[in-house]
Amino acid sequence: MNSPDDQEHELRRREREIQAREYAIRLRELEAEINQPPRVVYQSGQKPSENPLKRWSRKLVAIVKATAIGVAVVIGIAAGISLLWILIFAGVAWVAYKFFSANARTR
């Protein structure tokens, strides 16, 4: 029978063989990676030429959106100011009504 020392020696030898195979496989994988044709890492900044009508229509849509937002803001501000004036006038009228109705009762 094999002695424990022989078994340990055999296990270490097998382990070294396995490690050598794994190392060889990894080296082949790395060589295959290196030998592959280079992939495009970046793309050029140029876009394919686009139809001028399409570009013009996109610009027109952006201008219309900006104009619509601007008009909505102006209308919102005008409505807010109008509401503020109505509230101020109603407040002054209410104070005047209370003042004059109180004076009418005291007479």
Side-chain angles (χ1 to χ4, degrees), residues 22 67 76:
E22 289 174 350
T67 304

Side-chain angles (χ1 to χ4, degrees), residues 39-94:
R39 287 185 268 163
V40 176
V41 177
Y42 62 92
Q43 298 210 357
S44 65
Q46 295 177 349
K47 293 182 179 178
S49 62
E50 193 175 279
N51 186 357
L53 183 61
K54 202 178 236 184
R55 270 187 289 168
W56 182 80
S57 65
R58 257 193 306 191
K59 287 181 183 180
L60 180 66
V61 167
I63 291 170
V64 168
K65 283 181 182 178
T67 304
I69 290 171
V71 168
V73 167
V74 169
I75 289 174
I77 291 172
I81 290 173
S82 299
L83 182 62
L84 180 66
W85 279 109
I86 290 170
L87 289 174
I88 289 172
F89 180 74
V92 169
W94 182 76

Side-chain angles (χ1 to χ4, degrees), residues 2-12:
N2 290 342
S3 69
D5 289 335
D6 289 342
Q7 288 178 349
E8 285 182 32
H9 182 65
E10 182 66 22
L11 286 175
R12 286 190 188 126

Side-chain angles (χ1 to χ4, degrees), residues 11-56:
L11 286 175
R12 286 190 188 126
R13 184 186 61 78
R14 285 184 183 178
E15 188 176 331
R16 282 193 302 265
E17 286 177 4
I18 291 172
Q19 286 176 350
R21 284 186 208 147
E22 289 174 350
Y23 184 74
I25 290 171
R26 183 64 185 140
L27 281 176
R28 275 184 261 146
E29 288 174 353
L30 289 173
E31 283 178 354
E33 259 183 58
I34 290 171
N35 292 332
Q36 283 181 351
R39 287 185 268 163
V40 176
V41 177
Y42 62 92
Q43 298 210 357
S44 65
Q46 295 177 349
K47 293 182 179 178
S49 62
E50 193 175 279
N51 186 357
L53 183 61
K54 202 178 236 184
R55 270 187 289 168
W56 182 80

